[in-house]
Amino acid sequence: MTAQSASTGLNTFRGGPDERGRFGDYGGRFVAETLMPLILELETAYRAAKADPAFAAEIEAFQRDYVGRPSPLYYAERLTDHIREQAGPGRGPRIFFKRDELNHTGSHKINNCLGQILLAKRMGKTRIIAETGAGQHGVAAATVAARFGLPCTVYMGATDIERQKPNVFRMRLLGAEVRGVTSGSQTLKDAMNEALRDWVANVEDTFYIIGTAAGPHPYPELVRDFQSIIGQEAKAQLQEREGRLPDLLVACIGGGSNALGLFHPFLDDESVAMHAVEAAGEGIETGRHAASLTAGRPGILHGNITYLLQDEDGQIEEAHSISAGLDYPGIGPEHSWLHDIGRVKYVSATDQEALDAFQVCSRLEGIIPALEPAHALAHVLREAPNWDREKIIVMNMCGRGDKDVFAVAERLGVAL
Ligand SMILES: *Cc1c(COP(=O)(O)O)cnc(C)c1O
């Protein structure tokens, strides 16, 4: 495999996007004309912030004292032993968890929200908007808005409001206004359309905090940058502990931000393999899944070209997953590029596999994972027995399972 940059032709996988916001054929900024000046303003402001050591220092202080970083790199010894019992002689690598579920608000989403709100402050914006599906990003956005004293409006599909009442209440406790969206399928994709519309109408004072590494350029780049703290820490932590790089990285994929955050700092380390796990829902063959790269094709949604779940006429199809956080019919454009050039392998895990992994992890490690990283763990359980004992796998434990216990109880037929 030869390394090639999306932008400069330099010998790196980490140089993208190019000046048009492209990762190979993907990405770009396909937005309403009225939004274009804003997108350009955002890009200019982000370039300046990225080059300013004071901005980095400000983020670092809040990461430490407010978010709780660095998150530990944990050797999952009992899970490793469990895999070794089933693997052949000499097989069964050591499994480490990057514990981003220990962050304030319970997932990696706060890494991104913190970076974006500090950028909003820097730009002098006085109002925050966000979209949310399951409510996790909405809660993280409402959290930082409360901390920095900015009013916050969160767009959420009416169907999701009904399904995710505790998170709707959390957002309101945090002082955010939750606006129901009744267009389309009344879920995440429609909430994102509505947030983009709000942004067009309120260009002067409003900052839009997007929740994953998708949307028009420069969002995929800046979200990736804010999440890259995950991989930077993991790299330094493993180096200190074992004096070497991991052999395989594994993360789950909704829009792709936690996976890119773990992978990006390692993309040029040729010996490091990377597997990203999409939600196969009830099975790829049933059509009821959220596996955009496994079963979708390129199109335009939310301001960028990327792989999407769509029908023959290009209508966006609804995604299905037991995990609301993976329920997005698209994927960030950098993943589409990494998929096509073969640097990252994209696989999938079903609802049932995730549910099984969820229980294994809870019992063996005393860690109740979110259903999203339970998909990553399902893949680790399948894949690890094929790897040699001296190898090291690092999996991103990107969220905790408190939010999912009711959904899991229902699936297991337990009345609470
Ligand atoms: C939102 C969410 C995801 C999916 O988003 P990505 O951008 O793909 O990371 C995964 N895990 C958890 C815990 C989430 O809250």
Side-chain angles (χ1 to χ4, degrees), residues 149-307:
L150 297 182
C152 176
T153 299
V154 180
Y155 288 92
M156 188 169 188
T159 308
D160 289 333
I161 288 183
E162 208 37 53
R163 288 194 289 203
Q164 309 288 340
K165 284 184 183 148
N167 274 341
V168 174
F169 184 57
R170 273 185 198 107
M171 288 184 263
R172 291 187 171 138
L173 280 175
L174 291 160
E177 178 202 358
V178 180
R179 255 185 228 175
V181 175
T182 51
S183 54
S185 54
Q186 314 194 356
T187 58
L188 176 58
K189 134 180 101 60
D190 313 290
M192 201 155 169
N193 286 333
E194 211 54 50
L196 282 164
R197 240 169 255 143
D198 178 314
W199 201 23
V200 174
N202 298 285
V203 292
E204 287 303 320
D205 65 342
T206 297
F207 190 99
Y208 178 17
I209 300 188
I210 290 187
T212 190
H217 178 64
Y219 279 105
E221 175 188 351
L222 66 86
V223 174
R224 174 201 75 199
D225 290 348
F226 293 140
Q227 292 293 3
S228 289
I229 185 73
I230 301 170
Q232 287 157 10
E233 284 178 6
K235 200 171 193 177
Q237 287 165 325
L238 196 66
Q239 188 63 40
E240 188 183 316
R241 190 186 161 120
E242 302 289 332
R244 69 181 191 84
L245 291 166
D247 299 288
L248 173 65
L249 303 174
V250 180
C252 66
I253 294 256
S257 70
N258 90 85
L260 267 182
L262 177 64
F263 295 171
H264 195 262
F266 293 95
L267 282 177
D268 289 332
D269 297 308
E270 259 181 68
S271 66
V272 182
M274 300 176 196
H275 294 178
V277 188
E278 297 191 301
E282 294 169 19
I284 300 292
E285 68 291 347
T286 66
R288 292 178 57 80
H289 58 76
S292 321
L293 275 175
T294 306
R297 58 198 164 78
I300 296 181
L301 180 68
H302 300 141
N304 72 101
I305 304 180
T306 193
Y307 277 80

Side-chain angles (χ1 to χ4, degrees), residues 390-403:
E390 67 273 13
K391 302 288 187 192
I392 291 177
I393 297 180
V394 174
M395 189 203 101
N396 195 22
M397 183 59 77
C398 56
R400 54 182 178 243
D402 311 33
K403 68 182 177 62

Side-chain angles (χ1 to χ4, degrees), residues 2 10-12 56 71 90 113 143 163 165 167 177 188 211-212 230 253 271 279 291 313 328 332 345 356 413:
T2 51
L10 295 175
N11 195 30
T12 176
S71 69
C113 288
T143 296
R163 288 194 289 203
K165 284 184 183 148
N167 274 341
E177 178 202 358
L188 176 58
T212 190
I230 301 170
I253 294 256
S271 66
D313 301 324
Y328 181 60
K345 184 173 162 188
D356 293 345

